[in-house]
Amino acid sequence: MPSRLVLAYCGLLVACLCWGGNALVARAFYQDIPPLSLSFWRWLTALAILLPFVARPMWQHRMALRRAGWRLWVLAALGISCYNSLLYTAAQSTAAINLTLVNTCLPLATFIGGGLLFGEWPERRSWIGLGVAAAGLVALISRGSLANLTGLVFNPGDLVMLLAVVVWALYTLLIRRWTPALGLPPLVLLGTLVLLGVPMILPFYLWELSQVGGFAVTAGNLGAVAYTAVCASLVAYLAWNHGVRVVGAAKAAITSYSMPLFTALLGWLVLGETLQLFHWVGGAMIFAGLLLATRPALR
């Protein structure tokens, strides 16, 4: 297997690991940090970290950035401003398990979107792998019991998360479609998207601030913002964008099925939660599905 593919898939899994932690943070701090406050300060902090490293390269690539024009604004609106703000808003009114369940629509949305928008329908093996991974995810969500699955209750927050999934699928497809033509280094692209995305969040953050106020400056809240800024933003986005460029949007989207598995592992490591048989069975099925779906690319 080419080392380029290995690095790409490892990067995608690292991104999913970081976002699994992001889901835990979003739900754990939903009473302490309002959603748009978390989204705004997350990206503002990430921008402050990025700028010293990307300001000069961005100036050197200013002509390429100018040619990219409206496409950068679209990517920033989808991937920076909208998706995370919607996810944090959904976490205010729905359980973490529901966020995970709705997120299972991401690979399907990416498959269908790629086919309808660009005529890029995945091969049959990828569809089968998608089904196997989805079955493993159902085993995780249901905790191995049909009663748990049928007892799930959905609410308006789940609809917000569904909208977030559609937004992220479109971002993933457009990153794959546009970035080769843009010719921008990964850090320059991410820095530009964050620089454009933060002002888009600002009006909504100010409105939320006037309605519900901000958040207390405590070690826990600052730690949550720091995690989302460094791990869920800088590390995850660089890894995800690179992986999408190398393996394609559809196969990259399938790796999102590893997120609930990583969430369970993080719960075991950080919160001391017990790993049970359904965790192992579901995890094995998820990774079997990932291997089956990506097998043609690994030959």
Side-chain angles (χ1 to χ4, degrees):
M1 178 171 52
S3 59
R4 184 165 177 262
L5 283 175
V6 173
L7 289 175
Y9 280 111
C10 287
L12 291 169
L13 292 176
V14 166
C16 291
L17 173 61
C18 292
W19 287 330
N22 184 49
L24 287 178
V25 168
R27 190 58 186 167
F29 288 86
Y30 81 97
Q31 292 182 323
D32 302 309
I33 309 177
L36 295 176
S37 294
L38 182 55
S39 182
F40 176 77
W41 287 106
R42 162 189 176 171
W43 287 113
L44 188 64
T45 304
L47 181 61
I49 296 172
L50 268 177
L51 271 183
F53 301 98
V54 301
R56 185 173 180 180
M58 285 171 63
W59 175 255
Q60 294 171 342
H61 290 83
R62 62 188 181 279
M63 296 305 297
L65 293 172
R66 188 175 302 167
R67 286 193 299 269
W70 61 272
R71 288 174 291 181
L72 292 175
W73 286 97
V74 171
L75 291 174
L78 293 172
I80 305 299
S81 303
C82 292
Y83 174 73
N84 297 282
S85 299
L86 290 170
L87 186 150
Y88 294 147
T89 300
Q92 299 288 306
S93 58
T94 193
I97 191 171
N98 287 50
L99 294 177
T100 302
L101 181 58
V102 176
N103 199 62
T104 63
C105 299
L106 175 59
L108 183 60
T110 306
F111 276 35
I112 295 175
L116 294 178
L117 294 177
F118 308 124
E120 299 175 352
W121 294 101
E123 62 273 11
R124 183 170 57 181
R125 186 184 298 273
S126 293
W127 288 100
I128 297 174
L130 173 69
V132 173
L137 189 55
V138 169
L140 278 179
I141 292 172
S142 66
R143 303 175 65 86
S145 170
L146 182 61
N148 290 336
L149 191 62
T150 57
L152 287 173
V153 178
F154 294 91
N155 55 56
D158 301 314
L159 297 179
V160 175
M161 187 59 199
L162 184 60
L163 178 58
V165 165
V166 174
V167 166
W168 187 253
L170 186 56
Y171 169 81
T172 300
L173 289 167
L174 293 180
I175 276 285
R176 166 68 171 170
R177 190 74 170 183
W178 288 346
T179 50
L182 298 180
L184 295 170
L187 271 179
V188 171
L189 176 61
L190 181 58
T192 303
L193 295 184
V194 176
L195 185 63
L196 296 177
V198 168
M200 296 184 196
I201 305 173
L202 180 59
F204 301 98
Y205 163 63
L206 293 176
W207 174 83
E208 180 188 77
L209 194 63
S210 68
Q211 297 297 310
V212 301
F215 59 91
V217 182
T218 64
N221 289 345
L222 293 179
V225 172
Y227 174 85
T228 58
V230 176
C231 298
S233 298
L234 302 182
V235 174
Y237 272 67
L238 285 172
W240 182 264
N241 291 348
H242 173 72
V244 170
R245 285 196 301 270
V246 174
V247 308
K251 289 185 173 65
I254 296 176
T255 63
S256 66
Y257 279 136
S258 64
M259 262 187 261
L261 178 60
F262 288 139
T263 302
L265 290 174
L266 288 172
W268 172 56
L269 292 172
V270 179
L271 304 178
E273 297 178 349
T274 304
L275 288 180
Q276 301 181 35
L277 178 61
F278 65 84
H279 288 114
W280 297 107
V281 173
M285 292 179 68
I286 287 172
F287 278 103
L290 296 180
L291 291 174
L292 180 62
T294 57
R295 184 179 173 185
L298 300 181
R299 289 177 178 173

